[in-house]
Amino acid sequence: MHCREIPLTLWVLMFISTSETCTSRLHITAVEGEPFYLKYCSSSPEHEKKKNTIKWYKNESHGPVDLNLSSSPRILLRDYVLEFWPAELIDSGSYSFQMGNDTHDWKLNVIPRSKHSCFTEKLVMSKAVEVKKSLQIACEHSYYQQLANRTVLYKNCEKMENNQNPFLKNAEFKDQGYYTCVFFLHHNGKLFNVTKTFNITVVGDRSNILPVLLGPKINEVKVELGKDIELNCSALLNEKGVIYWNTWRKNGKDPNVHEGEVTRIRISEGKWLAFTILRIENINTRNLNFLYNCTAVNEGGIDTKSFILLRKEDVVDIPGHVFTGGMIAAVVVSVVAVCLVTVGVIYRVDLVLFYRRFMGRDETLTDGKTYDAFVSYLKECQPEHGEEHTFAVETLPRVLEKHFGYKLCIFERDVVPGGAVVDEIHSLIEKSRRLIIVLSQSYMSSEVRYELESGLHEALVERKIKIILIEFTPVGDFGFLPQSLNLLQSHRVLKWKADESLSYNSRFWKNLLYLMPAKAVKPYRDESEVLPVLLQS
Ligand SMILES: *[C@@H]1O[C@H](CO)[C@@H](O)[C@H](O)[C@H]1NC(C)=O
Ligand SMILES: *[C@@H]1O[C@H](CO)[C@@H](O)[C@H](O)[C@H]1NC(C)=O
Ligand SMILES: *[C@@H]1O[C@H](CO)[C@@H](O)[C@H](O)[C@H]1NC(C)=O
Ligand SMILES: *[C@@H]1O[C@H](CO)[C@@H](O)[C@H](O)[C@H]1NC(C)=O
Ligand SMILES: *[C@@H]1O[C@H](CO)[C@@H](O)[C@H](O)[C@H]1NC(C)=O
Ligand SMILES: *[C@@H]1O[C@H](CO)[C@@H](O)[C@H](O)[C@H]1NC(C)=O
Ligand SMILES: *[C@@H]1O[C@H](CO)[C@@H](O)[C@H](O)[C@H]1NC(C)=O
Ligand SMILES: *[C@@H]1O[C@H](CO)[C@@H](O)[C@H](O)[C@H]1NC(C)=O
């Protein structure tokens, strides 16, 4: 089993604990010249810990080398922690921790210190703040806080005059920039510094987000005279948005038309799903062919949609032979149309993929986003979830990145350590064009829920990201997912079938490519190539 034993509790701890954060990610980046540490995330209960059996190794080209206090004056071992005072470029490589039967590996990449800047671009944490909302920069370090006897905040590498911590004010556009916290530490009589940098972008007022009505702009509804009907108009709004019906005629209102109350459901911070029902009782001919409009509006914009009632069967009175001939023609035409539509529906994915390849379409060039997709999956890594983890961390990147040339963001692999993980996830999702959710019964643990909700918010309210659900193991009941997921179209749910989805050419991957953004992809290799998906022993 490839999957490392990082129990979920530890992941949760990683997010909650503000004292000493452990390092469970495989790929870790550090900066030359700064103190750095690796800390094993211990899972065993206190009485089972065998601290005396702890061993640390570095994997050198000739094999693993035992790390101990005499290995290097810069390296300090403290049970679960390996400290570097400071990290140097030569420290890059694989490290292993061993205690009894527990092991953990990390791949450390030490990058050079920037010569022109007080921070390292690769390690900045991006955060968008709305103008006039509170901008807070807290210089806190989960590990070195106790040791730091001075903390200085720099903006764009210039020391800030007013050195309050946390730095707090109402955001203005001129506050945009790079904020670097420098923690000064003394160790063995030497002065070191650790930096943490936030890339703050000040964005316009989000309350100006346009209201959006869900569904098509014109809705034809087939009705029978004398019956009742309910029209549902639903919209995504901000706090100040309103939704209402316009049903007035020149000469007043139809007495059988009743507007319902507006129901609002909060789906995330400042964003609402609202709906209102128009009830038409005992439908008469006056109600037919009239546009019942529904409007959603706020100070930023307006959206309108219309419902029109049509009679269900408008029986036409025409001579017999004309009628028969007409019927035959109509039947033939509709059969052909149905066939064409069926072919179109069945091969829709292939047609679209063919068209994209043929036209060399690429919709990823100008949107300013970094990743094609953010992959959200169960980070709980117990043996029974191993396949799911392998699928997300290995199979998906192998197919989408290596074979089809997409760029994925996989938290465990691509995210640098330190700081505000939640903000980081949000900003990564903002930089991604799709959110791929690898779904299974055990998916909804607390920290992935955040990814999901953040993604849903982007998808439904800001219309910036599209969601792709991969049902990795049959889930059956989606009842445990947030209600707003039900608004997703059903074709965005793909089912993974381990035995049928192996080939690059299988329905599963084609459907996934179809849902991914069009991108000038690398040419297909051997079409019959079969993926070695089930690698495990
Ligand atoms: C932090 O330490 C590095 C050397 O490790 C030094 O070049 C840099 O000037 C220091 N930064 C500050 C703000 O003192
Ligand atoms: C250690 O290095 C060897 C050769 O460089 C490599 O084959 C092996 O996979 C590495 N082990 C780990 C745990 O990284
Ligand atoms: C410490 O590590 C060195 C190699 O880095 C090794 O030669 C030496 O035997 C180790 N000492 C102990 C006490 O393990
Ligand atoms: C460690 O592994 C050995 C052999 O695989 C096993 O006999 C032993 O019980 C294990 N110890 C623990 C603490 O799991
Ligand atoms: C900082 O954020 C801005 C706006 O989001 C982005 O354009 C820029 O690339 C970011 N800088 C770094 C170093 O990530
Ligand atoms: C910081 O630590 C140094 C050395 O331990 C000490 O001399 C200095 O007074 C400390 N400064 C503060 C503000 O505590
Ligand atoms: C109206 O539609 C919205 C979203 O499409 C849905 O959440 C709501 O339950 C519907 N209301 C009724 C009464 O059907
Ligand atoms: C509904 O909207 C259409 C155009 O969008 C307009 O012509 C019509 O008069 C509107 N109906 C009502 C009742 O406001």
Side-chain angles (χ1 to χ4, degrees):
M1 179 67 50
H2 181 84
C3 173
R4 305 268 158 259
E5 281 71 33
I6 318 163
L8 173 68
T9 44
L10 286 172
W11 270 92
V12 174
L13 269 179
M14 235 190 92
F15 290 92
I16 295 168
S17 153
T18 51
S19 51
E20 292 200 350
T21 317
C22 67
T23 329
S24 62
R25 268 162 294 136
L26 176 61
H27 293 271
I28 307 287
T29 308
V31 186
E32 173 194 14
E34 286 192 9
F36 188 75
Y37 72 97
L38 291 173
K39 182 173 183 191
Y40 173 67
C41 299
S42 167
S43 56
S44 28
E46 201 61 38
H47 63 273
E48 281 180 23
K49 285 180 181 167
K50 300 192 197 61
K51 287 197 176 168
N52 53 344
T53 68
I54 290 177
K55 280 204 159 31
W56 284 90
Y57 298 99
K58 179 173 185 199
N59 197 9
E60 300 282 9
S61 50
H62 52 273
V65 172
D66 195 4
L67 292 178
N68 55 44
L69 288 171
S70 55
S71 311
S72 158
R74 290 184 296 107
I75 287 175
L76 198 62
L77 295 136
R78 292 200 294 150
D79 292 341
Y80 298 144
V81 192
L82 173 64
E83 291 185 348
F84 298 85
W85 291 96
E88 296 294 354
L89 295 177
I90 52 162
D91 294 325
S92 291
S94 301
Y95 289 82
S96 310
F97 169 91
Q98 199 180 353
M99 178 176 68
N101 291 354
D102 295 340
T103 61
H104 192 85
D105 295 332
W106 296 269
K107 290 196 164 50
L108 177 64
N109 180 25
V110 182
I111 56 178
R113 178 175 278 276
S114 168
K115 289 195 181 63
H116 318 288
S117 169
C118 62
F119 61 88
T120 312
E121 284 203 358
K122 215 179 159 225
L123 291 176
V124 304
M125 277 169 274
S126 301
K127 199 171 161 183
V129 180
E130 219 180 292
V131 68
K132 294 192 196 122
K133 292 276 164 67
S134 123
L135 164 66
Q136 178 174 358
I137 292 158
C139 285
E140 277 168 11
H141 201 290
S142 56
Y143 188 76
Y144 295 111
Q145 191 71 38
Q146 310 291 337
L147 287 173
N149 75 355
R150 200 158 62 91
T151 303
V152 181
L153 183 61
Y154 291 75
K155 182 185 174 191
N156 297 329
C157 292
E158 280 178 28
K159 200 165 167 176
M160 293 189 74
E161 287 300 316
N162 144 12
N163 203 13
Q164 51 164 328
N165 188 11
F167 173 72
L168 186 65
K169 70 178 297 238
N170 287 339
E172 294 171 60
F173 285 106
K174 68 177 169 63
D175 293 327
Q176 185 153 314
Y178 295 97
Y179 290 81
T180 306
C181 300
V182 183
F183 304 88
F184 291 94
L185 323 170
H186 288 274
H187 177 78
N188 278 355
K190 281 196 211 150
L191 180 65
F192 294 91
N193 65 61
V194 174
T195 61
K196 199 164 144 183
T197 303
F198 302 92
N199 176 11
I200 303 289
T201 313
V202 179
V203 296
D205 192 352
R206 286 221 171 110
S207 63
N208 283 335
I209 287 173
L210 302 185
V212 213
L213 288 165
L214 303 176
K217 291 281 162 262
I218 305 250
N219 299 266
E220 295 185 348
V221 186
K222 296 275 194 302
V223 293
E224 281 175 54
L225 295 183
K227 292 268 167 67
D228 301 344
I229 187 139
E230 286 189 345
L231 306 175
N232 183 353
C233 175
S234 48
L236 293 166
L237 301 170
N238 65 21
E239 197 155 2
K240 292 175 194 148
V242 292
I243 174 173
Y244 58 87
W245 288 98
N246 347 40
T247 59
W248 285 81
R249 297 172 185 269
K250 282 195 200 79
N251 47 357
K253 205 170 170 180
D254 289 337
N256 63 339
V257 174
H258 308 283
E259 289 158 35
E261 299 277 302
V262 175
T263 307
R264 298 172 74 103
I265 303 165
R266 212 180 94 126
I267 50 177
S268 69
E269 188 56 52
K271 306 293 174 318
W272 304 77
L273 170 70
F275 64 85
T276 168
I277 304 288
L278 187 72
R279 187 174 163 78
I280 304 176
E281 289 168 352
N282 190 8
I283 297 166
N284 60 46
T285 49
R286 269 173 62 82
N287 301 125
L288 301 178
N289 301 312
F290 176 76
L291 288 173
Y292 291 96
N293 298 342
C294 173
T295 300
V297 64
N298 66 12
E299 64 275 64
I302 184 163
D303 194 14
T304 299
K305 75 190 262 182
S306 306
F307 290 83
I308 181 162
L309 305 191
L310 300 174
R311 207 133 122 197
K312 210 167 234 165
E313 69 281 343
D314 275 321
V315 187
V316 205
D317 197 12
I318 23 176
H321 63 281
V322 177
F323 181 73
T324 322
M327 278 302 278
I328 291 171
V331 166
V332 170
V333 167
S334 25
V335 166
V336 170
V338 166
C339 288
L340 282 178
V341 168
T342 313
V343 168
V345 167
I346 294 178
Y347 293 104
R348 177 193 64 199
V349 169
D350 301 70
L351 288 174
V352 169
L353 291 181
F354 173 77
Y355 171 79
R356 281 188 195 169
R357 246 184 297 159
F358 183 71
M359 301 298 287
R361 267 192 72 202
D362 195 329
E363 61 193 42
T364 65
L365 295 176
T366 52
D367 61 4
K369 297 199 174 187
T370 316
Y371 299 104
D372 292 307
F374 182 93
V375 182
S376 175
Y377 57 96
L378 186 70
K379 279 154 203 105
E380 180 176 10
C381 209
Q382 285 159 352
E384 64 266 31
H385 305 304
E387 287 186 6
E388 203 171 315
H389 184 268
T390 311
F391 174 76
V393 179
E394 293 179 13
T395 311
L396 271 182
R398 184 167 58 239
V399 179
L400 290 180
E401 294 189 330
K402 298 246 166 61
H403 196 72
F404 292 113
Y406 284 106
K407 188 168 176 212
L408 303 182
C409 177
I410 296 172
F411 191 80
E412 193 174 304
R413 181 190 71 182
D414 300 321
V415 180
V416 293
V421 176
V422 165
D423 289 338
E424 189 66 349
I425 289 176
H426 187 85
S427 90
L428 286 170
I429 289 180
E430 271 184 350
K431 285 187 203 158
S432 305
R433 303 185 178 92
R434 299 285 185 271
L435 171 65
I436 299 183
I437 298 174
V438 181
L439 200 63
S440 66
Q441 283 291 12
S442 357
Y443 175 78
M444 295 306 288
S445 61
S446 58
E447 88 279 5
V448 282
R449 179 182 280 273
Y450 177 80
E451 289 170 18
L452 180 65
E453 282 174 0
S454 179
L456 282 177
H457 172 252
E458 298 272 310
L460 299 172
V461 179
E462 298 177 7
R463 298 255 159 146
K464 278 199 245 154
I465 191 170
K466 292 194 175 120
I467 294 186
I468 303 174
L469 279 180
I470 296 180
E471 211 181 314
F472 185 76
T473 49
V475 172
D477 174 23
F478 283 84
F480 61 94
L481 291 174
Q483 212 192 0
S484 39
L485 252 194
N486 298 336
L487 298 170
L488 288 181
Q489 295 126 307
S490 60
H491 74 261
R492 297 205 160 261
V493 182
L494 303 181
K495 286 194 171 50
W496 168 257
K497 297 197 184 78
D499 40 345
E500 291 167 27
S501 307
L502 294 177
S503 158
Y504 289 129
N505 215 17
S506 67
R507 233 0 57 217
F508 176 82
W509 294 114
K510 278 190 182 171
N511 287 342
L512 184 53
L513 287 189
Y514 168 74
L515 296 176
M516 290 294 286
K519 191 168 187 176
V521 294
K522 287 191 258 170
Y524 282 29
R525 283 197 303 235
D526 183 8
E527 298 279 296
S528 65
E529 193 170 343
V530 166
L531 278 171
V533 170
L534 302 167
L535 278 178
Q536 295 97 337
S537 52

